[in-house]
Amino acid sequence: MQRTARSLAFILAPAALLLALAGCGNVPLNNSAGGPQAVAAPAVVTDPVDIYVAQSQAASGLNAVTVPGGVIYVQRIPVLTRADLTDAAAMVDQQGQHFVGLRFTDAGARKLAAASSGNMGRMLALVVGRQLVASPRITEPLNRGVLAFGVPTQQAALDIAARIRGEQSSAQPVALPAVQ
């Protein structure tokens, strides 16, 4: 995560272009009468996206969440929400590892920096809808306005990034540049 977070800032600009292109709406089609007809894009159900500080130890005021291999304890109030995000992209590095990269607004970047600086060793629990999709451990202050976390497959990265963006489908993953 550390290496990816550092290089993420350099590759999210192309990802933003891909996201903007993927958001194109109506496509004219010919109807049976022979004239063009605009077909509305299908309605999108937008799941809430929240990021909470979490830890592996039980404490007062935390909610227990069962995860594969145990339980994590999550704060009740998110430190970041969908409103704090500007982009979400599926990515793959030179070794073929898959990631989801998140880019935050200026205000979101400040919240991320404060939350990560004050909670080293804890986790950031990313919840989409009511589903915990990732809980990366905070190993350093995240002060560049980006967060990347590993996922097991390309399809998982595509699906999670699309859900975070509020879309039903997703584009191809963005390739991460090699880290020197």
Side-chain angles (χ1 to χ4, degrees):
M1 183 172 118
Q2 296 168 357
R3 174 180 49 139
T4 305
R6 289 186 186 121
S7 60
L8 185 59
F10 299 106
I11 55 88
L12 278 178
L17 177 60
L18 287 175
L19 294 174
L21 293 175
C24 295
N26 297 342
V27 178
L29 297 176
N30 289 331
N31 63 15
S32 59
Q37 175 181 337
V39 176
V44 175
V45 176
T46 304
D47 289 326
V49 176
D50 296 307
I51 299 175
Y52 300 84
V53 173
Q55 61 190 46
S56 55
Q57 307 284 312
S60 176
L62 301 179
N63 293 329
V65 176
T66 303
V67 296
V71 175
I72 63 171
Y73 301 90
V74 179
Q75 290 181 349
R76 293 184 179 161
I77 298 172
V79 292
L80 295 152
T81 67
R82 178 187 300 282
D84 296 310
L85 293 168
T86 60
D87 290 323
M91 303 173 166
V92 62
D93 68 10
Q94 297 291 355
Q95 291 76 38
Q97 295 176 330
H98 298 280
F99 298 88
V100 174
L102 305 177
R103 186 173 203 169
F104 295 88
T105 64
D106 289 341
R110 287 189 296 275
K111 292 177 191 178
L112 178 63
S116 62
S117 296
N119 291 286
M120 300 291 285
R122 293 189 176 143
M123 296 166 271
L124 290 174
L126 174 63
V127 178
V128 180
R130 295 188 52 85
Q131 179 184 14
L132 177 70
V133 296
S135 54
R137 188 159 305 277
I138 303 168
T139 59
E140 66 182 21
L142 302 171
N143 55 13
R144 295 178 184 233
V146 295
L147 171 65
F149 56 89
V151 294
T153 66
Q154 175 183 1
Q155 192 59 51
L158 292 167
D159 291 345
I160 292 168
R163 285 184 65 200
I164 291 169
R165 291 190 309 267
E167 300 171 0
Q168 297 296 325
S169 61
S170 54
Q172 292 298 312
V174 175
L176 293 175
V179 177
Q180 306 297 339

